[in-house]
Amino acid sequence: MKRSIIWFKTDLRLHDNETLVEAIAHSDEVIPIYCMDENWNKQVGKFQKTGNFRKQFIIESLIDLDNNLREKGSGLWILKGNPSIEIPKFAALNEVHKVYTKKEIASEEKQMLVDVEQALWKHKCVLETFSTSTLYHAVDLPFAISQIPDMFTQFRKRTEHDSTVRPIVATPDKIPSPVIPLLKVQHLDLPELPIKKIDERAALQFKGGETEALKRLNYYLFESKLLLKYKETRNGLIGGDYSSKLSPWLATGSISPRFIYHEIKRFETENQANESTYWLIFELLWRDFFRFMFKKHGAKFFKLHGFNQRETTYTAHDETVIHAWIDGKTGDDFVDANMRELKLTGFMSNRGRQNVASYFIDQLKQDWRIGARYFEQQLIDYDVSSNWGNWAYQAGVGNDPRGKRVFDTKKQAKDYDGKMEYRRLWLEE
Ligand SMILES: Cc1cc2nc3c(=O)[nH]c(=O)nc-3n(C[C@H](O)[C@H](O)[C@H](O)COP(=O)(O)OP(=O)(O)OC[C@H]3O[C@@H](n4cnc5c(N)ncnc54)[C@H](O)[C@@H]3O)c2cc1C
């Protein structure tokens, strides 16, 4: 009997999941697991690693994954604790020969894979990893990782020209598994839950899981055809429709970027292709770019001077100033409205993120990494490379070839919130 584990992390889906398909193809039985590790309750300085908005979203994603697995004859087994202890223990107990999981790009996650792999060896169990989170597969890129240009435009042009997006892998019909105990929400260790409905002014009432992710994609493309106007609306600030809002599901891996790509292509065939339909793919390429930059530069992304050692950053850690920013009380109404939205909902538009980050760095002159850490706690869609990559970019220590771009928040407010609707929405009690 060949029994294996599929260890789900930020790939909480059944569609286009090579790890799952490979595990099934090479095993008589698979046991799907998720390990709630110490990051769940970890504090880094004054911030939580995983804030409550994201915890709630992840819990919903796990419940949905469990339901979807059960429909295929399986289920999700939850482990709690350090994966490098719990997974090998579980593997030994269940006579597992192989653990299948997703490749990682950031330093802590990569180290965890090494630790798990070493601990598994002691039980004669092997770890195999698959790349499942990017649009372009790393091995299909026209450059070796170390040669990827640090400039997005160069990366994009050559990648679009020389590489293709692979087709998606099929969703399995059946998942042969031993009996897996029913998942009980009360065992999931979530303090102060359920969080009530998120503030009703929120851009969207995000709900975690593959089912909701696929619904959202279908809504944004085929039902509403909002995709056709994406390029014109994507700098919006209010409501669900100005952009795709797929980021939280992409961050948990409840939706595959390749699946999004192929659905956009189908939409283009069945409806129409225009600049907007292309632009959503263009933005997914930014996401890929930051992931590959993390693969290239590693933990240097977390350093004050970034991977390019620029000396232009500020270093202040002023508690009063930082708290005024977090609470939306800086006195700059555009920044304050955005920061309040983030605090009360776990989401903020891309336009907002650029402005509040620039303000934190260029006007408040604080260490940009504190802002990045607050985002890490707060964002439902937190994703290590997209967050730290964008913050480093904004701080002028990352991938912006022009150095630093300072946002004039007063002008931005006029350009993007000329009628003050957004500021009123969040600043008026
Ligand atoms: C300071 C700062 C921090 C950020 N932190 C995160 C983060 O932790 N997680 C995250 O997913 N995005 C982050 N972003 C990028 C971007 O703001 C969000 O992806 C976007 O606002 C999510 O909304 P959407 O899904 O409606 O985006 P859409 O406009 O519909 O774009 C579609 C998808 O493209 C990708 N994308 C779009 N813009 C970017 C970008 N600049 N960088 C990388 N990917 C992009 C996202 O996956 C997004 O879901 C950050 C941006 C800034 C300026």
Side-chain angles (χ1 to χ4, degrees), residues 206 216 220 230 234 240 242-248 250-251 279-280 282-288 290 347-357 375-376 379 381-388 390-391 394:
F206 288 106
R216 174 68 193 174
Y220 196 72
Y230 170 69
R234 59 179 284 276
Y242 64 80
S243 63
S244 77
K245 306 293 184 302
L246 289 168
S247 55
L250 278 161
W279 214 260
L280 195 61
F282 173 94
E283 293 299 340
L284 287 173
L285 260 163
W286 267 108
R287 180 176 172 277
D288 267 22
F290 284 127
F347 191 81
M348 189 196 289
S349 68
N350 186 56
R351 182 59 38 191
R353 293 181 205 202
Q354 289 175 313
N355 273 277
V356 302
F375 269 37
E376 175 166 354
L379 283 174
D381 66 17
Y382 170 72
D383 168 279
V384 60
S385 49
S386 292
N387 190 57
W388 288 84
N390 272 292
W391 270 95
Q394 199 54 55

Side-chain angles (χ1 to χ4, degrees), residues 51-116:
N52 276 359
F53 290 118
R54 194 158 74 257
K55 279 184 177 167
Q56 165 111 8
F57 191 83
I58 294 171
I59 292 289
E60 290 162 356
S61 311
L62 295 177
I63 293 170
D64 186 61
L65 180 63
D66 179 59
N67 284 337
N68 294 343
L69 285 165
R70 282 186 197 279
E71 277 177 19
K72 309 276 178 189
S74 185
L76 186 64
W77 202 308
I78 303 283
L79 302 180
K80 277 190 222 161
N82 184 334
S84 67
I85 298 171
E86 298 308 321
I87 295 177
K89 216 160 60 183
F90 185 81
L93 211 66
N94 290 282
E95 295 172 355
V96 162
H97 79 293
K98 203 162 183 179
V99 175
Y100 292 80
T101 199
K102 177 179 156 288
K103 265 207 177 75
E104 296 294 345
I105 40 138
S107 41
E108 277 177 24
E109 289 80 358
K110 268 165 58 179
Q111 187 55 48
M112 177 57 74
L113 280 186
V114 172
D115 294 345
V116 171

Side-chain angles (χ1 to χ4, degrees), residues 122-252:
K122 293 186 191 131
H123 302 286
K124 298 193 170 51
C125 185
V126 185
L127 183 82
E128 193 172 351
T129 57
F130 297 85
S131 286
T132 56
S133 15
T134 47
L135 185 56
Y136 287 89
H137 200 289
V139 301
D140 297 340
L141 292 178
F143 354 70
I145 295 293
S146 61
Q147 302 301 316
I148 297 180
D150 291 334
M151 262 179 72
F152 173 71
T153 308
Q154 290 175 1
F155 160 79
R156 178 182 65 78
K157 285 191 173 155
R158 274 206 54 202
T159 302
E160 285 178 334
H161 189 262
D162 295 346
S163 304
T164 44
V165 176
R166 293 184 182 185
I168 59 163
V169 300
T171 305
D173 293 329
K174 250 190 93 41
I175 305 175
S177 298
V179 176
I180 296 184
L182 285 177
L183 184 125
K184 296 214 172 75
V185 182
Q186 61 269 35
H187 293 160
L188 292 179
D189 192 17
L190 193 59
E192 301 162 41
L193 267 192
I195 298 174
K196 290 158 257 115
K197 221 169 142 241
I198 300 176
D199 190 296
E200 60 188 20
R201 293 166 292 182
L204 204 69
Q205 294 290 327
F206 288 106
K207 186 159 189 274
E210 181 177 9
T211 310
E212 290 295 321
L214 299 179
K215 260 196 226 162
R216 174 68 193 174
L217 181 67
N218 190 53
Y219 167 77
Y220 196 72
L221 272 53
F222 296 99
E223 256 177 57
S224 66
K225 299 195 171 39
L226 284 164
L227 178 63
L228 288 171
K229 302 186 292 187
Y230 170 69
K231 190 153 184 264
E232 294 97 75
T233 60
R234 59 179 284 276
N235 280 308
L237 301 163
I238 300 175
D241 285 354
Y242 64 80
S243 63
S244 77
K245 306 293 184 302
L246 289 168
S247 55
W249 292 289
L250 278 161
T252 48

Side-chain angles (χ1 to χ4, degrees), residues 360-402:
F360 188 77
I361 296 160
D362 305 307
Q363 307 306 325
L364 302 179
K365 301 191 177 2
Q366 301 299 303
D367 179 337
W368 64 273
R369 295 171 304 171
I370 301 171
R373 266 191 222 115
Y374 175 62
F375 269 37
E376 175 166 354
Q377 167 187 284
Q378 206 61 18
L379 283 174
I380 299 183
D381 66 17
Y382 170 72
D383 168 279
V384 60
S385 49
S386 292
N387 190 57
W388 288 84
N390 272 292
W391 270 95
Y393 187 99
Q394 199 54 55
V397 299
N399 296 93
D400 191 345
R402 291 159 295 192

